[in-house]
Amino acid sequence: MAPRSTPTGRQRRLAKEVRRLREQAGISVQEAAAMLGADRTMVSNIEAARTGLSEERVRQLACHYRCPDQALVDALAAMTGGRRNTFWWEEYRGKLPDGFLDVSEIEYHATRIRTAQSVHLPGLLQTEDHARAIFDLVVPKLPRLEVELRVAHRLGRQRILDGERPTPYLGIIHEAALRMQFGGREVARTQLEYLAAACERDHITLLVIPFSAGGFHGSGQSILYAEGPVPQLDTVHLDTPYGPYFADSPTPLANYRSLLDLMERSALPPDESRDFIWSIARHL
């Protein structure tokens, strides 16, 4: 395959996982190249996502690397499919930072999503006016066109929660995020009513951590945990002042799973969380 100059996040992840298989097998780049009947540059390009991988090549490498996990191999092989221009977020490439598109890609392919928010409401459940109010506060101030592009992209992400096979979603929200009136009182009330109504959908669960819970694990963090077809392909996305950060190594994944479990234990049950959201909305 011809070298690519700008691999997507999913293509980079596939390349990284193939490299992990080689390293876990204790095989050097030179040895891998010999197995393929190629030079080491080809292996380096594959592992840097500069060269694409076919399903056949992924299975060939997994065989050479003696990977015993067939479910993982099948999941990696499935990651080779799909063309860039078939995904809705590609229309934003070159118009928005690549990190925005990487989040869309991760969410689209996730089998289940868990999020935790302390100050902002989940992007997957923001109304258009709420999202616009958030982006209007970015420093330095964004041009109006970029604000509208970001709003449209955020709304586009939400389509994974619709359709015949919506993605199961669990969101943990601190009371502070529910009481932030981005865009003013009317926008905030409409947003909270939208959240409360979302709780009625079978595949969406919202859990609220009230102020009365006091201190809790993970306070101050904004976490998106996207589950893959196998646990090894899970991904964590964190919002930082310097842009999105993605974690996919085994130890961070295990740590964030545990952290989200602890945060869930600090939250109200689903029915109480829904009533809590309605209560705040009614008092606005």
Side-chain angles (χ1 to χ4, degrees):
M1 293 186 180
R4 52 164 90 100
S5 57
T6 55
T8 68
R10 186 170 171 84
Q11 290 166 343
R12 293 192 300 272
R13 179 64 183 279
L14 173 60
K16 183 184 292 186
E17 293 300 326
V18 168
R19 187 189 71 231
R20 282 181 180 151
L21 292 183
R22 176 181 61 76
E23 292 173 343
Q24 289 168 1
I27 295 173
S28 68
V29 172
Q30 190 64 47
E31 290 170 330
M35 291 174 176
L36 294 174
D39 59 33
R40 59 180 299 143
T41 301
M42 177 181 176
V43 176
S44 297
N45 284 338
I46 287 174
E47 294 184 357
R50 289 188 292 267
T51 297
L53 281 165
S54 65
E55 177 178 347
E56 181 182 2
R57 179 52 58 85
V58 167
R59 294 188 185 281
Q60 179 186 25
L61 289 170
C63 181
H64 286 322
Y65 300 159
R66 302 184 297 277
C67 177
D69 190 335
Q70 189 58 48
L72 173 59
V73 174
D74 291 342
L76 293 175
M79 291 176 70
T80 64
R83 295 180 179 273
R84 270 192 176 190
N85 57 12
T86 63
F87 298 111
W88 67 266
W89 56 84
E90 288 300 327
E91 66 180 283
Y92 295 95
R93 194 167 296 282
K95 301 175 184 177
L96 292 177
D98 286 347
F100 282 69
L101 280 62
D102 290 341
V103 172
S104 306
E105 191 174 40
I106 289 168
E107 291 173 337
Y108 178 84
H109 292 286
T111 59
R112 178 175 179 249
I113 292 175
R114 300 166 77 190
T115 67
Q117 308 281 340
S118 295
V119 177
H120 289 292
L121 297 177
L124 288 172
L125 292 172
Q126 289 181 8
T127 65
E128 179 177 348
D129 288 339
H130 182 97
R132 184 173 291 109
I134 294 292
F135 289 126
D136 276 338
L137 294 176
V138 171
V139 177
K141 188 172 180 61
L142 297 171
R144 177 50 51 188
L145 174 59
E146 183 162 356
V147 168
E148 295 306 319
L149 283 171
R150 292 189 181 204
V151 170
H153 173 264
R154 178 153 295 181
L155 296 178
R157 288 169 49 198
Q158 298 175 6
R159 66 186 70 183
I160 66 167
L161 299 180
D162 300 319
E164 294 182 359
R165 299 180 62 184
T167 304
Y169 174 82
L170 183 146
I172 304 167
I173 308 171
H174 192 263
E175 182 179 348
L178 297 173
R179 294 191 179 276
M180 298 288 284
Q181 295 184 21
F182 290 104
R185 180 168 296 190
E186 288 302 320
V187 171
R189 181 188 295 115
T190 300
Q191 172 65 77
L192 291 179
E193 290 172 350
Y194 181 81
L195 279 181
C199 297
E200 305 293 341
R201 302 169 73 180
D202 291 340
H203 61 287
I204 295 177
T205 301
L206 295 181
L207 304 177
V208 174
I209 300 178
F211 286 134
S212 60
F216 61 96
H217 297 87
S219 58
Q221 296 197 55
S222 176
I223 304 167
L224 185 154
Y225 193 105
E227 297 181 7
V230 293
Q232 300 96 313
L233 297 181
D234 291 357
T235 304
V236 169
H237 163 243
L238 306 176
D239 281 327
T240 77
Y242 312 102
Y245 171 78
F246 300 95
D248 53 38
S249 298
T251 298
L253 289 177
N255 289 342
Y256 279 105
R257 282 195 297 270
S258 296
L259 177 57
L260 288 168
D261 289 344
L262 289 169
M263 295 179 79
E264 284 190 42
R265 293 172 198 162
S266 297
L268 299 173
D271 288 348
E272 291 183 34
S273 293
R274 180 200 57 215
D275 293 344
F276 195 94
I277 295 171
W278 275 122
S279 175
I280 297 176
R282 284 195 296 269
H283 287 87
L284 280 177

